[in-house]
Structure formats: C-alpha cells, structure tokens
Amino acid sequence: MQTLNHTGNILEEQGCQGGLGEWVMKFVKNEGGTPRTAAQLVEKLAATFPAFKDKATYHGQEVFILKKAQVFAADLYRRLRVSYPRLCYVTHTYRPCRTKNPPLLLQILKG
C-alpha cells in the first residue's frame, strides 16, 4: 500500500491526475522532440518511481537490474503497438531481462 501511495503522490506532483498511463503518454509523446526509446523509458521510470528501481549488491557494488521497468516497457509495447503507434519505440534488439531463476542470472553475472 505504501508503494501505491508513494507512486500516486509522485504522479500528483507531476500533474498526472490521470495516473501512470497519463505519465507514460506525456513521456512518449515528447512534443517537439525526437522519439523516445525504450531504454529512455526504463531509465525515466527508475529515476522517477523508486518502485521501479530494482537493485542488488554484488561484491560490494550496487547493480541496477531494472527488471520491473524493463518488463513494463516491453509489455506496453506488445499490448499497445497497434492502437498507439507512437509507442513503437522499442528496437528489435531490445529485449528485457526475464528470468524466473535468479541464481542463474547471478551465475551469468559472475561470468
């Protein structure tokens, strides 16, 4: 509940009474600017909303995974790319990190 309230407060401070959808559309539209990328959306989500800033510590270093933000961006693209062509910001090489096996991900990071 605390996460929802905090996110709601951030949205309200940014003038997005319409919720997260309004915030995303403002970001994606980028009036007068160059089209946004999925990576920019992921970065902005993590910078704006602490709930999207997944991180861990690896050998004393902070590692930002940002899985929640990546999955959110990918799901938006898959669901809305036909209805809202402006959301077609995802390049073909962009793939979010999806794993149900965190130990495997850590093993990959260890190299």
Side-chain angles (χ1 to χ4, degrees):
M1 198 62 157
Q2 183 180 6
T3 299
L4 292 174
N5 285 333
H6 191 230
T7 300
N9 289 337
I10 293 168
L11 290 167
E12 199 170 78
E13 288 169 7
Q14 295 198 6
C16 295
Q17 277 64 26
L20 189 58
E22 180 182 348
W23 183 89
V24 168
M25 292 309 289
K26 279 183 178 181
F27 178 80
V28 171
K29 283 182 182 177
N30 191 26
E31 298 299 332
T34 59
R36 305 285 189 152
T37 66
Q40 289 171 322
L41 177 59
V42 168
E43 288 174 18
K44 187 70 172 175
L45 281 166
T48 306
F49 304 102
F52 281 106
K53 196 172 194 174
D54 320 42
K55 59 185 175 181
T57 303
Y58 179 73
H59 290 292
Q61 298 275 341
E62 262 190 347
V63 177
F64 292 93
I65 307 296
L66 307 181
K67 181 179 177 179
K68 293 175 193 173
Q70 290 181 52
V71 169
F72 181 83
D75 286 348
L76 269 179
Y77 169 73
R78 275 193 295 278
R79 175 64 181 94
L80 300 173
R81 68 179 176 232
V82 174
S83 305
Y84 298 94
R86 184 75 178 166
L87 287 175
C88 291
Y89 51 77
V90 180
T91 64
H92 294 292
T93 57
Y94 176 80
R95 295 287 181 265
C97 173
R98 288 189 187 229
T99 180
K100 292 183 181 177
N101 190 346
L104 176 62
L105 178 60
L106 288 175
Q107 191 64 27
I108 291 168
L109 288 173
K110 288 178 185 176

PDB file of all heavy atoms in Angstrom, residues 9-25:
ATOM      1  N   ASN A   9       1.513   9.897  -5.088  1.00  0.00           N
ATOM      2  CA  ASN A   9       1.994  11.225  -4.702  1.00  0.00           C
ATOM      3  C   ASN A   9       2.930  11.809  -5.767  1.00  0.00           C
ATOM      4  O   ASN A   9       2.847  12.992  -6.101  1.00  0.00           O
ATOM      5  CB  ASN A   9       2.707  11.178  -3.347  1.00  0.00           C
ATOM      6  CG  ASN A   9       1.756  10.941  -2.202  1.00  0.00           C
ATOM      7  OD1 ASN A   9       0.562  11.209  -2.297  1.00  0.00           O
ATOM      8  ND2 ASN A   9       2.274  10.409  -1.107  1.00  0.00           N
ATOM      9  N   ILE A  10       3.813  10.967  -6.305  1.00  0.00           N
ATOM     10  CA  ILE A  10       4.734  11.417  -7.349  1.00  0.00           C
ATOM     11  C   ILE A  10       3.948  11.838  -8.592  1.00  0.00           C
ATOM     12  O   ILE A  10       4.220  12.886  -9.189  1.00  0.00           O
ATOM     13  CB  ILE A  10       5.757  10.317  -7.693  1.00  0.00           C
ATOM     14  CG1 ILE A  10       6.690  10.075  -6.510  1.00  0.00           C
ATOM     15  CG2 ILE A  10       6.557  10.672  -8.939  1.00  0.00           C
ATOM     16  CD1 ILE A  10       7.555   8.839  -6.624  1.00  0.00           C
ATOM     17  N   LEU A  11       2.977  11.026  -8.984  1.00  0.00           N
ATOM     18  CA  LEU A  11       2.160  11.354 -10.154  1.00  0.00           C
ATOM     19  C   LEU A  11       1.423  12.668  -9.954  1.00  0.00           C
ATOM     20  O   LEU A  11       1.348  13.502 -10.860  1.00  0.00           O
ATOM     21  CB  LEU A  11       1.178  10.220 -10.451  1.00  0.00           C
ATOM     22  CG  LEU A  11       1.792   8.930 -10.989  1.00  0.00           C
ATOM     23  CD1 LEU A  11       0.778   7.797 -10.942  1.00  0.00           C
ATOM     24  CD2 LEU A  11       2.323   9.140 -12.394  1.00  0.00           C
ATOM     25  N   GLU A  12       0.884  12.859  -8.770  1.00  0.00           N
ATOM     26  CA  GLU A  12       0.158  14.090  -8.456  1.00  0.00           C
ATOM     27  C   GLU A  12       1.092  15.301  -8.518  1.00  0.00           C
ATOM     28  O   GLU A  12       0.745  16.338  -9.079  1.00  0.00           O
ATOM     29  CB  GLU A  12      -0.451  13.972  -7.060  1.00  0.00           C
ATOM     30  CG  GLU A  12      -1.564  14.948  -6.798  1.00  0.00           C
ATOM     31  CD  GLU A  12      -2.285  14.620  -5.513  1.00  0.00           C
ATOM     32  OE1 GLU A  12      -1.750  14.945  -4.423  1.00  0.00           O
ATOM     33  OE2 GLU A  12      -3.376  14.028  -5.606  1.00  0.00           O
ATOM     34  N   GLU A  13       2.308  15.154  -7.971  1.00  0.00           N
ATOM     35  CA  GLU A  13       3.291  16.245  -8.013  1.00  0.00           C
ATOM     36  C   GLU A  13       3.651  16.616  -9.453  1.00  0.00           C
ATOM     37  O   GLU A  13       3.959  17.773  -9.730  1.00  0.00           O
ATOM     38  CB  GLU A  13       4.572  15.836  -7.282  1.00  0.00           C
ATOM     39  CG  GLU A  13       4.444  15.759  -5.784  1.00  0.00           C
ATOM     40  CD  GLU A  13       5.647  15.096  -5.121  1.00  0.00           C
ATOM     41  OE1 GLU A  13       6.660  14.810  -5.808  1.00  0.00           O
ATOM     42  OE2 GLU A  13       5.565  14.841  -3.909  1.00  0.00           O
ATOM     43  N   GLN A  14       3.616  15.642 -10.340  1.00  0.00           N
ATOM     44  CA  GLN A  14       3.981  15.886 -11.737  1.00  0.00           C
ATOM     45  C   GLN A  14       2.768  16.238 -12.601  1.00  0.00           C
ATOM     46  O   GLN A  14       2.872  16.289 -13.831  1.00  0.00           O
ATOM     47  CB  GLN A  14       4.723  14.675 -12.299  1.00  0.00           C
ATOM     48  CG  GLN A  14       6.042  14.456 -11.601  1.00  0.00           C
ATOM     49  CD  GLN A  14       6.984  13.572 -12.362  1.00  0.00           C
ATOM     50  OE1 GLN A  14       6.744  13.164 -13.483  1.00  0.00           O
ATOM     51  NE2 GLN A  14       8.108  13.280 -11.744  1.00  0.00           N
ATOM     52  N   GLY A  15       1.625  16.453 -11.962  1.00  0.00           N
ATOM     53  CA  GLY A  15       0.436  16.888 -12.687  1.00  0.00           C
ATOM     54  C   GLY A  15      -0.241  15.799 -13.490  1.00  0.00           C
ATOM     55  O   GLY A  15      -0.902  16.091 -14.482  1.00  0.00           O
ATOM     56  N   CYS A  16      -0.079  14.570 -13.080  1.00  0.00           N
ATOM     57  CA  CYS A  16      -0.672  13.429 -13.805  1.00  0.00           C
ATOM     58  C   CYS A  16      -1.800  12.818 -12.987  1.00  0.00           C
ATOM     59  O   CYS A  16      -1.703  11.696 -12.493  1.00  0.00           O
ATOM     60  CB  CYS A  16       0.395  12.390 -14.114  1.00  0.00           C
ATOM     61  SG  CYS A  16       1.650  12.977 -15.259  1.00  0.00           S
ATOM     62  N   GLN A  17      -2.903  13.567 -12.860  1.00  0.00           N
ATOM     63  CA  GLN A  17      -4.050  13.053 -12.113  1.00  0.00           C
ATOM     64  C   GLN A  17      -4.678  11.852 -12.807  1.00  0.00           C
ATOM     65  O   GLN A  17      -5.414  11.093 -12.202  1.00  0.00           O
ATOM     66  CB  GLN A  17      -5.091  14.157 -11.895  1.00  0.00           C
ATOM     67  CG  GLN A  17      -4.813  15.075 -10.718  1.00  0.00           C
ATOM     68  CD  GLN A  17      -3.556  15.907 -10.848  1.00  0.00           C
ATOM     69  OE1 GLN A  17      -3.089  16.207 -11.943  1.00  0.00           O
ATOM     70  NE2 GLN A  17      -2.983  16.286  -9.722  1.00  0.00           N
ATOM     71  N   GLY A  18      -4.384  11.668 -14.102  1.00  0.00           N
ATOM     72  CA  GLY A  18      -4.904  10.533 -14.862  1.00  0.00           C
ATOM     73  C   GLY A  18      -4.157   9.231 -14.586  1.00  0.00           C
ATOM     74  O   GLY A  18      -4.470   8.209 -15.160  1.00  0.00           O
ATOM     75  N   GLY A  19      -3.143   9.280 -13.741  1.00  0.00           N
ATOM     76  CA  GLY A  19      -2.430   8.069 -13.360  1.00  0.00           C
ATOM     77  C   GLY A  19      -1.172   7.817 -14.170  1.00  0.00           C
ATOM     78  O   GLY A  19      -0.688   8.672 -14.926  1.00  0.00           O
ATOM     79  N   LEU A  20      -0.653   6.616 -14.017  1.00  0.00           N
ATOM     80  CA  LEU A  20       0.596   6.231 -14.666  1.00  0.00           C
ATOM     81  C   LEU A  20       0.473   6.257 -16.189  1.00  0.00           C
ATOM     82  O   LEU A  20       1.428   6.611 -16.883  1.00  0.00           O
ATOM     83  CB  LEU A  20       1.032   4.842 -14.178  1.00  0.00           C
ATOM     84  CG  LEU A  20       2.419   4.373 -14.603  1.00  0.00           C
ATOM     85  CD1 LEU A  20       3.498   5.347 -14.148  1.00  0.00           C
ATOM     86  CD2 LEU A  20       2.698   2.982 -14.044  1.00  0.00           C
ATOM     87  N   GLY A  21      -0.699   5.923 -16.707  1.00  0.00           N
ATOM     88  CA  GLY A  21      -0.912   5.966 -18.152  1.00  0.00           C
ATOM     89  C   GLY A  21      -0.709   7.360 -18.713  1.00  0.00           C
ATOM     90  O   GLY A  21      -0.090   7.539 -19.762  1.00  0.00           O
ATOM     91  N   GLU A  22      -1.199   8.365 -18.012  1.00  0.00           N
ATOM     92  CA  GLU A  22      -1.011   9.749 -18.445  1.00  0.00           C
ATOM     93  C   GLU A  22       0.471  10.115 -18.407  1.00  0.00           C
ATOM     94  O   GLU A  22       0.986  10.752 -19.324  1.00  0.00           O
ATOM     95  CB  GLU A  22      -1.807  10.705 -17.540  1.00  0.00           C
ATOM     96  CG  GLU A  22      -1.661  12.153 -17.930  1.00  0.00           C
ATOM     97  CD  GLU A  22      -2.404  13.106 -16.993  1.00  0.00           C
ATOM     98  OE1 GLU A  22      -3.219  12.654 -16.164  1.00  0.00           O
ATOM     99  OE2 GLU A  22      -2.152  14.321 -17.106  1.00  0.00           O
ATOM    100  N   TRP A  23       1.174   9.689 -17.365  1.00  0.00           N
ATOM    101  CA  TRP A  23       2.600   9.966 -17.250  1.00  0.00           C
ATOM    102  C   TRP A  23       3.368   9.347 -18.418  1.00  0.00           C
ATOM    103  O   TRP A  23       4.217   9.988 -19.035  1.00  0.00           O
ATOM    104  CB  TRP A  23       3.125   9.435 -15.915  1.00  0.00           C
ATOM    105  CG  TRP A  23       4.562   9.734 -15.655  1.00  0.00           C
ATOM    106  CD1 TRP A  23       5.068  10.841 -15.037  1.00  0.00           C
ATOM    107  CD2 TRP A  23       5.688   8.936 -16.027  1.00  0.00           C
ATOM    108  NE1 TRP A  23       6.438  10.764 -15.011  1.00  0.00           N
ATOM    109  CE2 TRP A  23       6.847   9.605 -15.601  1.00  0.00           C
ATOM    110  CE3 TRP A  23       5.830   7.713 -16.679  1.00  0.00           C
ATOM    111  CZ2 TRP A  23       8.124   9.094 -15.810  1.00  0.00           C
ATOM    112  CZ3 TRP A  23       7.098   7.197 -16.891  1.00  0.00           C
ATOM    113  CH2 TRP A  23       8.227   7.887 -16.456  1.00  0.00           C
ATOM    114  N   VAL A  24       3.052   8.093 -18.738  1.00  0.00           N
ATOM    115  CA  VAL A  24       3.724   7.399 -19.842  1.00  0.00           C
ATOM    116  C   VAL A  24       3.456   8.119 -21.163  1.00  0.00           C
ATOM    117  O   VAL A  24       4.382   8.341 -21.954  1.00  0.00           O
ATOM    118  CB  VAL A  24       3.276   5.919 -19.936  1.00  0.00           C
ATOM    119  CG1 VAL A  24       3.729   5.271 -21.233  1.00  0.00           C
ATOM    120  CG2 VAL A  24       3.795   5.136 -18.740  1.00  0.00           C
ATOM    121  N   MET A  25       2.212   8.500 -21.412  1.00  0.00           N
ATOM    122  CA  MET A  25       1.889   9.166 -22.676  1.00  0.00           C
ATOM    123  C   MET A  25       2.602  10.510 -22.796  1.00  0.00           C
ATOM    124  O   MET A  25       3.089  10.856 -23.867  1.00  0.00           O
ATOM    125  CB  MET A  25       0.380   9.329 -22.836  1.00  0.00           C
ATOM    126  CG  MET A  25      -0.364   8.012 -23.035  1.00  0.00           C
ATOM    127  SD  MET A  25       0.321   6.952 -24.346  1.00  0.00           S
ATOM    128  CE  MET A  25      -0.124   7.869 -25.797  1.00  0.00           C
TER     129      MET A  25
END
